């Protein structure tokens, strides 16, 4: 959204300010985040003066030696105006995995965008597919440690990193996307179903029986009925955090409908 009194190129989406202008056939974009309106107006005015004088302020400020960490911070601010909180958290996790790999496995503590090559991108995808990992990084699940991330995860992570470097190209910081030709196979519907299959009748009965035994052992501790919680989750398909956020107004007992809504 642009107001008439604002300098050319200044826009706001939600609480986040950004500057966007076409210069020499390219669009210059910079996301400033939640800053005072007065500061955004003054900053945009300076940018317009520089552009009119033939100076590209964004390129001058960031330069060709932009570090990957600095650019991802700028990019994630932009994505924060476009994504839901849960999706944004997944994007943050992908970036964290990549930066940790560069630091720990390749000894690149502060790499620039230009240092991320196609070969490095390929090596990272291979690393994600082969390196031992534990679900959610929780050490207590050592028995379920497996070799590499799932195909679905790798496919998603490549997509996030491809978007990141595509944005860098738009800002004229690099000339080629290192993840352009890195194309992991997309998991088939059957592969996804095999990894996330619904419980069979026998599995459901065994789970509910274990929940009943758990309740029996904890009667003296005034524990909520674990069996009822498990039964509710199994029959509705809700996630645990979705159940925790439920309110009585979300449940239509007459039509037997549960409304799942984002809770802040």
């Amino acid at each position: 959204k642009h107001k008439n009194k604002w300098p050319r190129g200044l826009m706001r989406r939600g609480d986040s300010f950004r500057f966007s202008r076409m210069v020499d056939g390219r669009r210059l974009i910079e996301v400033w985040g939640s800053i005072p309106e007065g500061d955004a107006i003054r900053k945009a005015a300076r940018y317009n003066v520089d552009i009119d004088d033939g100076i590209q302020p964004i390129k001058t400020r960031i330069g060709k030696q932009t570090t990957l960490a600095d650019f991802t911070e700028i990019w994630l601010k932009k994505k924060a105006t476009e994504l839901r909180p849960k999706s944004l958290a997944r994007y943050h996790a992908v970036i964290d995995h990549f930066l940790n790999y560069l630091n720990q496995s390749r000894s690149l503590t502060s790499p620039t965008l230009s240092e991320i090559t196609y070969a490095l991108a390929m090596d990272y995808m291979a690393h994600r597919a082969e390196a031992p990992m534990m679900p959610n990084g929780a050490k207590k699940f050592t028995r379920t440690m497996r070799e590499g991330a799932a195909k679905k995860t790798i496919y998603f992570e490549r997509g996030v990193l491809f978007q990141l470097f595509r944005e860098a190209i738009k800002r004229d910081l690099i000339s080629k996307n290192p993840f352009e030709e890195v194309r992991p196979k997309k998991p088939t519907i059957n592969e996804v179903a095999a990894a996330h299959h619904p419980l069979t009748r026998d599995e459901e009965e065994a789970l509910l029986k274990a929940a009943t035994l758990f309740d029996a052992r904890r009667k003296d501790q005034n524990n909520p009925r674990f069996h009822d919680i498990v039964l509710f989750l199994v029959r509705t398909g809700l996630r645990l955090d979705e159940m925790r956020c439920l309110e009585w107004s979300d449940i239509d007992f007459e039509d037997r409908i549960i409304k799942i809504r984002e809770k802040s």
Side-chain angles (χ1 to χ4, degrees):
K1 182 179 179 180
H2 175 84
K3 292 185 179 180
N4 292 331
K5 68 175 183 177
W6 286 351
R8 182 181 177 187
L10 179 61
M11 301 181 70
R12 181 171 65 187
R13 181 178 294 176
D15 295 329
S16 178
F17 284 95
R18 64 174 60 193
F19 182 84
S20 175
R21 268 195 62 178
M22 291 296 296
V23 180
D24 298 330
R26 290 180 177 273
R27 181 165 293 279
L28 299 179
I29 302 175
E30 186 170 51
V31 179
W32 297 335
S34 300
I35 64 175
E37 181 177 336
D39 291 348
I41 291 173
R42 287 189 292 273
K43 197 171 183 178
R46 290 198 304 270
Y47 273 30
N48 282 317
V49 170
D50 287 342
I51 290 172
D52 293 341
D53 289 340
I55 302 171
Q56 293 188 18
I58 297 175
K59 184 188 292 185
T60 301
R61 187 184 68 79
I62 300 179
K64 288 293 185 180
Q65 294 303 310
T66 305
T67 65
L68 177 61
D70 287 343
F71 184 70
T72 54
E73 183 179 354
I74 295 170
W75 184 67
L76 288 170
K77 283 183 180 178
K78 176 187 175 184
K79 302 308 289 186
T81 67
E82 302 171 358
L83 300 173
R84 293 183 177 182
K86 288 183 180 179
S87 297
L88 182 63
R90 292 187 69 193
Y91 274 57
H92 274 281
V94 171
I95 299 301
D96 288 344
H97 279 307
F98 188 46
L99 291 175
N100 287 338
Y101 166 78
L102 295 174
N103 183 18
Q104 298 174 9
S105 300
R106 304 303 292 267
S107 299
L108 295 172
T109 55
S110 186
T112 62
L113 288 170
S114 59
E115 289 183 87
I116 309 304
T117 62
Y118 163 75
L120 187 56
M122 280 291 294
D123 287 346
Y124 175 66
M125 289 288 97
H127 166 79
R128 290 294 288 156
E130 298 171 359
M133 61 175 293
M134 289 175 283
N136 300 320
K139 292 185 178 180
K140 65 180 180 179
F141 294 119
T142 51
R143 278 187 253 175
T144 59
M145 181 181 288
R146 55 188 171 80
E147 295 296 322
K151 277 188 179 181
K152 183 178 179 181
T153 300
I154 295 172
Y155 187 81
F156 172 77
E157 291 185 353
R158 181 267 175 188
V160 171
L161 294 169
F162 175 81
Q163 291 180 55
L164 170 68
F165 286 95
R166 183 176 61 185
E167 182 71 18
I169 292 175
K170 288 181 180 179
R171 300 186 185 210
D172 201 26
L173 297 173
I174 55 175
S175 59
K176 186 173 178 60
N177 193 326
F179 285 87
E180 177 75 38
E181 301 300 327
V182 180
R183 302 190 180 180
K185 290 184 179 180
K186 186 176 182 179
T188 65
I189 295 177
N190 290 336
E191 286 174 329
V192 174
H196 305 281
H197 71 278
L199 293 176
T200 64
R201 184 178 296 276
D202 290 342
E203 289 172 336
E204 180 180 321
E205 289 179 358
L207 179 61
L208 294 174
K209 182 178 179 180
T212 300
L213 293 173
F214 180 79
D215 282 335
R217 290 198 301 268
R218 294 178 60 86
K219 278 184 179 179
D220 59 327
Q221 299 186 34
N222 194 27
N223 193 52
R225 297 194 63 182
F226 186 63
H227 171 275
D228 294 346
I229 295 175
V230 173
L231 179 62
F232 179 78
L233 292 173
V234 168
R235 296 296 169 83
T236 61
L238 266 65
R239 296 184 175 90
L240 186 58
D241 59 340
E242 292 172 338
M243 183 192 71
R244 286 175 177 152
C245 292
L246 278 180
E247 300 175 2
W248 287 114
S249 58
D250 297 327
I251 304 175
D252 185 339
F253 288 97
E254 183 175 343
D255 293 330
R256 305 180 70 181
I257 294 175
I258 298 175
K259 295 179 182 178
I260 308 302
R261 297 180 287 117
E262 286 274 348
K263 302 291 197 310
S264 57

